[in-house]
Amino acid sequence: MTYPSTLDAVRVDHPAPDHVPRDRLVDIRFALGGVPNDLVDPYAPSGWLSGPDIPRLLFSPTVPGEPGNPFAHPAGSWIVTHYADIERVYSDNELFSNKGTAEFQALIGETFPSIPLAIDPPDHHKYRMFLMPHFGPARLKLMDDDMRALVNEMIDGFADRGEVDIAWDFGRIYPVRIFMGLMGFPRDMFDQFLEWEWAILHSNSFEPIAAALRGVVDFLRGFISEKEKAPDDKLVSAIVHGTIEGRPLTGDEKIGIVWFLWLGGLDTVAATISQMFRRMALQPDIQDRIRADRALIPTAVEEFLRTQPILSSGRRAKQDFEWHGQQIKAGDSFQCFNPGGNFDPERFADPRTFDPARKPNRHMTFIAGVHICLGAPLARRELRILLEEWFRRIPAFRVKPGADTSVHPGLLSIRNLPLVWDV
C-alpha cells in the first residue's frame, strides 16, 4: 500500500471555520490507526508529520474517525504533531480544557462527568489525590505476587505447546483480569465487558454504542449500589465509601469515577502487549538483547511505549489567542498526534530506531500535564512483570508461518497474532 508522504498529498478542500487558513486543511486519518499496515514499524508512514518543514498547526475539517462517527466535531479540529506543541496543549491549563473528554455517556442523556479525566483544575486536583493512593507504588507492590502468579498460570497453559495467540489468548485477558481484580468486578462479566468496550470505542455506529453504554452504565450503577450495602476491600468499594474534602461522594461522583476507570482499564494495555510481541517477533534482535540482559526490561518497556503510542488525546481552547501565527478561537478543538511527538527528531535522537536502553525517554504515550494517565504505574508494572516471566520461560519466538501480521497502529491494534517457538 502507498501512503501519503507530503503535505500536498493530504491537503483537502472542505468547509472549515473562517479563521482557519485553507492551506492548513488536511486529512490525516491514515495516520490515526484506522488504516492497517504490515510494516515492522507500523507508525513509520506518518513519521514525516513531525518533520521540521511541517507547519506547527494543521487542521482537520472533521475530527479523525470513520464516516458516521457519532463523536465527530462538526467544526473540525486543529492537529498538533510536534513534541513541544503537544506538551503545551497537555500542560497549559490556562488555555486548554479537558472538559467533555471521553464523555461517551452523554450520547444516552447521562450528565455525570468522566472523573477525573474531564475535570479541569483546580477541581481536578481533589479527585486525582483521592485516587492516587490506589495507584501508588506501595499499593501496586502488593499486587506483584498476584500479577506474577497470573502470568505464570497463563504461560503454563501454552509453554509446552510451543504456540499461543498472544493477542487473543493472552494480551486480551491478562491486563483485564488484573484490572477486574483490582476493582472487585465479578470475573463472569469478562466477556460482556469486552463486548461493551469494543462497541463503544470501535463500532463507530450510534446504535451499538448507545446499547453498550446503557448496558455498562446500568451495570455499574447496580454494582455501586451493591458495594454501598456490602463493602469489601476492592477499589470500587473504596470509592463508594470514600470521602473528598471531608464529605461523602455524591452519586454523580461515584458513577463518574467508576465509569472512567472502567473505560480506561480494558484494552490500552492489551493493545500495547500485542504490538510489543509483534515487534519482538518481527525484529528478533530486540528479544535477543533483552534475553541477554534482563536488566534492560524497565527501559525496554518505556521504548515499547514510546514506539507504539496507543492513544492520541484532545483538548479544547478556553479563550481566543494567537499561536504559531494562527488565530485560535475559544471552543476550537485540538487533537494531539502522539505518534508525532514520540518520533519527533527534535526530541529523540534517531527516533525510528528501537533502543531498549534509551534514556531519557519522556514520551507522550501516557499524555502529560495534570491529566497524565492515572493507570500508567500499573501498566508499566504489568508489562515489566510480563517480560520478566516470559523471558524466563519461553525460548526465542517468531510469528507462526502464514499468519497475518497486519496491525492498526493505535487502540484498535491486533485481534489475532499466533506466535510459535521450539519446545
Side-chain angles (χ1 to χ4, degrees):
M1 181 176 179
T2 301
Y3 299 93
S5 58
T6 66
L7 200 58
D8 286 339
V10 297
R11 282 198 172 100
V12 293
D13 184 15
H14 288 306
D18 291 340
H19 63 286
V20 177
R22 303 298 98 179
D23 65 350
R24 299 301 176 91
L25 302 184
V26 297
D27 181 354
I28 63 165
R29 283 178 293 179
F30 81 94
L32 292 166
V35 179
N37 68 59
D38 198 22
L39 302 172
V40 174
D41 175 3
Y43 296 85
S46 61
W48 58 273
L49 284 165
S50 55
D53 57 331
I54 300 301
R56 303 299 286 253
L57 291 175
L58 302 172
F59 193 91
S60 172
T62 56
V63 168
E66 296 300 319
N69 183 351
F71 308 116
H73 188 277
S77 180
W78 292 102
I79 306 294
V80 186
T81 64
H82 293 75
Y83 187 99
D85 299 329
I86 293 171
E87 187 172 44
R88 183 185 184 187
V89 174
Y90 286 152
S91 303
D92 191 338
N93 300 306
E94 296 299 316
L95 291 179
F96 299 98
S97 171
N98 220 34
K99 187 175 182 180
T101 298
E103 293 193 332
F104 305 103
Q105 66 273 24
L107 283 175
I108 56 171
E110 295 286 354
T111 58
F112 65 84
S114 297
I115 303 174
L117 181 65
I119 304 295
D120 286 335
D123 287 342
H124 173 271
H125 180 74
K126 65 185 179 185
Y127 294 116
R128 183 92 182 187
M129 290 302 100
F130 172 69
L131 289 170
M132 277 298 292
H134 301 286
F135 294 91
R139 176 64 183 267
L140 295 182
K141 188 172 177 57
L142 297 176
M143 299 171 61
D144 275 9
D145 289 344
D146 288 341
M147 289 188 205
R148 213 170 290 278
L150 176 56
V151 170
N152 280 288
E153 172 194 324
M154 297 182 72
I155 291 177
D156 285 342
F158 56 75
D160 294 338
R161 198 168 70 233
E163 179 177 348
V164 68
D165 185 334
I166 196 66
W168 186 260
D169 293 327
F170 193 96
R172 184 181 64 98
I173 297 172
Y174 163 60
V176 178
R177 282 187 57 181
I178 293 171
F179 166 73
M180 293 181 73
L182 172 69
M183 299 290 283
F185 290 136
R187 283 185 57 177
D188 61 7
M189 289 299 293
F190 178 90
D191 290 324
Q192 180 63 78
F193 277 8
L194 291 184
E195 286 179 20
W196 281 335
E197 183 268 350
W198 183 266
I200 293 168
L201 294 181
H202 305 308
S203 70
N204 287 324
S205 178
F206 178 78
E207 289 75 14
I209 291 173
L213 285 167
R214 180 49 60 201
V216 67
V217 170
D218 287 349
F219 169 82
L220 293 178
R221 281 203 170 101
F223 192 73
I224 287 169
S225 179
E226 289 178 18
K227 296 307 159 188
E228 287 174 337
K229 300 169 186 172
D232 56 31
D233 62 350
K234 303 299 184 180
L235 182 50
V236 172
S237 185
I239 292 167
V240 167
H241 294 279
T243 60
I244 292 178
E245 298 179 334
R247 60 165 179 81
L249 276 66
T250 67
D252 276 0
E253 287 173 329
K254 292 175 184 177
I255 185 66
I257 293 172
V258 175
W259 150 257
F260 164 67
L261 294 176
W262 181 90
L263 185 67
L266 291 181
D267 77 352
T268 51
V269 178
T272 299
I273 289 171
S274 299
Q275 289 199 43
M276 179 172 73
F277 277 87
R278 177 187 183 274
R279 185 69 180 261
M280 288 191 289
L282 296 179
Q283 193 175 341
D285 61 293
I286 296 175
Q287 53 177 303
D288 291 344
R289 282 193 65 184
I290 296 173
R291 185 173 284 106
D293 183 5
R294 295 183 198 173
L296 287 174
I297 286 177
T299 51
V301 164
E302 290 307 311
E303 187 72 337
F304 282 120
L305 290 167
R306 181 188 73 86
T307 57
Q308 48 191 50
I310 300 301
L311 293 170
S312 291
S313 189
R315 298 289 188 270
R316 198 169 297 279
K318 296 170 74 171
Q319 62 191 52
D320 293 358
F321 64 100
E322 187 175 306
W323 193 18
H324 292 308
Q326 303 301 316
Q327 184 59 47
I328 308 300
K329 297 289 188 180
D332 278 2
S333 174
F334 281 78
Q335 182 83 5
C336 291
F337 183 55
N338 287 347
N342 284 6
F343 292 102
D344 190 331
E346 292 187 5
R347 180 72 188 199
F348 299 97
D350 197 10
R352 302 232 74 88
T353 296
F354 186 99
D355 179 4
R358 186 183 294 272
K359 285 185 179 181
N361 197 348
R362 190 167 173 264
H363 52 75
M364 291 294 177
T365 297
F366 289 128
I367 320 299
V370 298
H371 290 287
I372 192 168
C373 178
L374 185 68
L378 175 60
R380 287 183 167 107
R381 211 172 197 95
E382 290 172 344
L383 295 173
R384 176 178 57 77
I385 288 174
L386 167 56
L387 290 181
E388 288 171 356
E389 297 306 308
W390 181 276
F391 282 109
R392 185 175 65 84
R393 299 193 54 184
I394 302 295
F397 55 92
R398 57 198 179 275
V399 176
K400 186 175 183 179
D404 181 7
T405 56
S406 298
V407 56
H408 288 77
L411 187 60
L412 194 60
S413 202
I414 306 166
R415 293 290 273 177
N416 298 96
L417 183 66
L419 302 179
V420 294
W421 54 90
D422 297 328
V423 177

